[in-house]
Amino acid sequence: MSDYFDREDDKKHVRVYKEQTPDILQAFGAFDKAVFAAEGREIPLKYRELIALAVAETTQCVYCIEAHAKRAADAGATEGELAETAWVATAIRAGGGYTHGRLGFKFSGLRNEDGTPHEH
């Protein structure tokens, strides 16, 4: 993952968003700020950051992993909570593989000797 993660050089590419879609960039910034506001939400900030970290780990976004791991720690998350977050992400990703694997059976078209569809 680290071969394309260049903290210094990558930031300059935000220029394209600023030049081409400044309204969308501003709206996204306001949306993100509202989602991760320190106060005024039902879910405490620490848990929202841990949720974001689990999603980032599942989608394997190195930028998001870095940001939300730091923010979760700043919001009071412990190493144990970070570890459990990683395991939750792992379980969800593995569960997706398992459940989507069943679709392979469903869509395979395999049939019993008598021509009836396999029961799965």
Side-chain angles (χ1 to χ4, degrees):
M1 277 191 282
S2 64
D3 56 329
Y4 64 87
F5 183 61
D6 182 345
R7 294 183 52 77
E8 297 307 314
D9 193 46
D10 289 353
K11 289 181 183 178
K12 74 180 182 185
H13 299 291
V14 173
R15 169 190 60 78
V16 178
Y17 289 130
K18 289 179 179 177
E19 292 173 1
Q20 302 298 319
T21 55
D23 57 328
I24 297 171
L25 180 61
Q26 181 184 20
F28 176 74
F31 170 71
D32 193 66
K33 187 175 181 177
V35 169
F36 292 102
E39 303 293 330
R41 307 265 61 99
E42 289 295 317
I43 300 173
L45 180 59
K46 177 175 83 169
Y47 300 118
R48 284 181 276 138
E49 291 296 349
L50 290 170
I51 292 167
L53 179 58
V55 171
E57 290 167 347
T58 301
T59 61
Q60 298 178 332
C61 175
V62 294
Y63 302 99
C64 297
I65 291 168
E66 179 184 26
H68 293 292
K70 288 179 179 178
R71 291 180 190 175
D74 289 346
T78 65
E79 281 189 335
E81 289 171 321
L82 294 176
E84 287 187 25
T85 296
W87 285 117
V88 167
T90 301
I92 293 300
R93 192 157 176 120
Y98 167 73
T99 58
H100 282 86
R102 295 183 307 186
L103 293 175
F105 303 127
K106 179 178 179 179
F107 299 136
S108 70
L110 294 174
R111 300 193 170 274
N112 296 317
E113 289 181 16
D114 66 1
T116 60
H118 276 275
E119 291 293 324
H120 301 288

